Amino acid sequence: MTKITAIIPTGNEIHNIDDVIASVNFADEILIVDSFSTDGTFEKAQQLATRVIRREYEYSASQKNWAIPQAKHEWILLVDADERVTPDLKKEILDTLKAPEHTAYWIGRMNHFMGERVHYSGWRNDKVIRLFKRDFCKYEDKHVHAEIKVNGSVGRLKHKFYHNTYITFDKYLEKMNRYAWWQAKDYDKKTGKLTPYHFVIKPFWGFFKHYIIQFGFRDGLVGFTIGTIQAYVIFMRYIKLWLLRKNRI
């Protein structure tokens, strides 16, 4: 059997750490990459994981690219703290690694928000590259929504992660505000002069796309909330970019 390292980035994830580590207990090495948690995550991880390393957090892609070369084994399963490897996904991963046909694999996610499973709203076909060979893969240098670039072929697993990024509504809005700041930095180089198009049309389109085109209305209030937050994040992205360019951050 091909050996595997499970990498889990953490930052104040005491509410997740037990369950996420338990979901990857089949890995030959469980490597926690902690960004100096202050809620007991680091101490708990030391009790449960194979290895715990620490680094100040810059942004997700930077943290993961730093961690990947430190894995002991060639194959890596990267799992965020708010994700879980289901029993079916575990079996598929182990079966796949008996004779891997690709360099990396997409894994879908069953997303949950505000206590409800999200079936539409632009989250239906959510997938991430998380099972891959260490020396052939690296995240693109983006602050938000960076994906792995693979030097080789990419397959797809049938089973999905369980994913629940929601803790409380206020915490989620805090996260979206951080994302808006990071997106402002990413968009600075590729965005020209800011106009009403960025502050009015694009936020409206974000809501319309998630709620109407991607059938968010079929997710009820959860879908309406996702569409509204998407519009808010787009608006805040360009407000923060405007502030960034005027050195008023």
Side-chain angles (χ1 to χ4, degrees):
M1 174 65 69
T2 302
K3 291 190 174 183
I4 183 172
T5 292
I7 295 179
I8 305 172
T10 60
N12 289 336
E13 296 285 353
I14 193 64
H15 56 289
N16 277 321
I17 194 65
D18 287 273
D19 290 341
V20 67
I21 289 179
S23 79
V24 297
N25 61 6
F26 58 93
D28 300 283
E29 178 188 36
I30 300 176
L31 176 61
I32 303 296
V33 186
D34 185 67
S35 53
F36 291 93
S37 295
T38 57
D39 65 347
T41 299
F42 173 70
E43 292 76 14
K44 189 69 171 180
Q46 287 182 307
Q47 300 172 22
L48 301 174
T50 310
R51 220 171 12 124
V52 183
I53 54 180
R54 305 180 90 176
R55 179 179 185 255
E56 287 287 352
Y57 189 84
E58 295 179 308
Y59 50 95
S60 179
S62 170
Q63 196 80 340
K64 291 173 180 177
N65 282 336
W66 178 78
I68 288 169
Q70 303 193 52
K72 180 179 179 181
H73 302 298
E74 181 184 27
W75 276 93
I76 290 173
L77 174 65
L78 202 152
V79 184
D80 283 343
D82 58 7
E83 297 169 340
R84 306 289 182 266
V85 177
T86 65
D88 286 338
L89 178 57
K90 169 185 172 179
K91 183 179 184 303
E92 186 176 9
I93 289 171
L94 292 175
D95 288 343
T96 298
L97 291 181
K98 290 177 182 177
E101 297 179 356
H102 300 282
T103 305
Y105 292 86
W106 291 100
I107 301 177
R109 296 197 291 187
M110 298 179 289
N111 291 297
H112 294 72
F113 183 63
M114 300 198 309
E116 302 289 337
R117 171 76 186 274
V118 180
H119 296 280
Y120 300 96
S121 304
W123 293 7
R124 184 175 187 176
N125 297 315
D126 182 27
K127 65 185 189 300
V128 284
I129 296 175
R130 292 293 185 75
L131 181 65
F132 54 90
K133 294 180 77 172
R134 179 192 58 209
D135 300 330
F136 295 85
C137 301
K138 184 178 182 180
Y139 278 88
E140 56 188 337
D141 189 25
K142 288 174 57 179
H143 288 81
V144 181
H145 302 312
E147 192 49 81
I148 286 179
K149 292 187 175 295
V150 180
N151 184 14
S153 62
V154 184
R156 181 165 184 171
L157 302 187
K158 295 179 181 178
H159 295 97
K160 299 181 178 183
F161 285 120
Y162 172 92
H163 181 221
N164 184 12
T165 189
Y166 181 82
I167 305 172
T168 67
F169 196 75
D170 287 344
K171 289 289 186 183
Y172 191 78
L173 287 180
E174 287 177 18
K175 179 179 179 179
M176 292 300 99
N177 272 310
R178 289 197 303 273
Y179 276 19
W181 272 120
W182 291 336
Q183 285 180 338
K185 294 176 182 178
D186 287 337
Y187 275 67
D188 188 24
K189 294 180 180 179
K190 60 182 181 181
T191 302
K193 181 181 178 182
L194 294 173
T195 69
Y197 167 76
H198 298 94
F199 299 110
V200 180
I201 303 300
K202 285 184 74 69
F204 174 79
W205 171 249
F207 175 84
F208 186 81
K209 181 177 71 172
H210 282 261
Y211 191 64
I212 303 298
I213 296 176
Q214 296 175 325
F215 299 103
F217 61 87
R218 298 187 66 176
D219 285 319
L221 179 60
V222 169
F224 181 81
T225 303
I226 290 172
T228 302
I229 291 175
Q230 180 64 24
Y232 167 78
V233 171
I234 294 171
F235 176 74
M236 292 307 296
R237 173 203 303 162
Y238 292 110
I239 286 292
K240 292 173 189 291
L241 178 54
W242 182 82
L243 290 169
L244 184 68
R245 288 178 174 178
K246 290 184 175 293
N247 294 316
R248 297 177 185 174
I249 56 175

